[in-house]
Amino acid sequence: YWRPDREFLQDRHEEGNLLTLVMATRNGLVLYPDGSSCEVPARCGELIAFTGSLLTVLSDGKITAMDHAVRNAPVPMARSS
């Protein structure tokens, strides 16, 4: 998946599900809570939760989906998901 010519491994997007839980093993997750980017540091043993578009539908728009992106690592790295 590593691409030396790209800043982001996954460009800005939202998930189509209810909720996403991530246990990051390295830095690179970027959230866009108010439209501007916010880097999320990877911390050992912590879960990161963000909302998907299904939750937006089920809450009648009261809870919006969290746009996010994943930065490309500066060097090739193993990944799991």
Side-chain angles (χ1 to χ4, degrees):
Y1 292 100
W2 183 71
R3 297 269 313 267
D5 59 327
R6 294 192 56 168
E7 178 182 3
F8 289 97
L9 186 62
Q10 291 183 327
D11 293 325
R12 184 175 174 170
H13 66 284
E14 67 181 46
E15 300 295 330
N17 55 15
L18 188 68
L19 188 68
T20 297
L21 299 174
V22 174
M23 184 174 287
T25 56
R26 67 172 180 87
N27 291 336
L29 179 62
V30 181
L31 300 180
Y32 298 89
D34 58 4
S36 59
S37 65
C38 175
E39 300 277 341
V40 179
R43 294 193 176 112
C44 184
E46 288 188 358
L47 281 176
I48 302 162
F50 49 93
T51 55
S53 58
L54 181 57
L55 188 56
T56 303
V57 172
L58 293 174
S59 69
D60 289 326
K62 294 180 181 128
I63 302 171
T64 58
M66 179 61 64
D67 282 359
H68 60 284
V70 179
R71 281 199 192 284
N72 200 5
V75 295
M77 300 180 85
R79 68 174 278 234
S80 64
S81 60

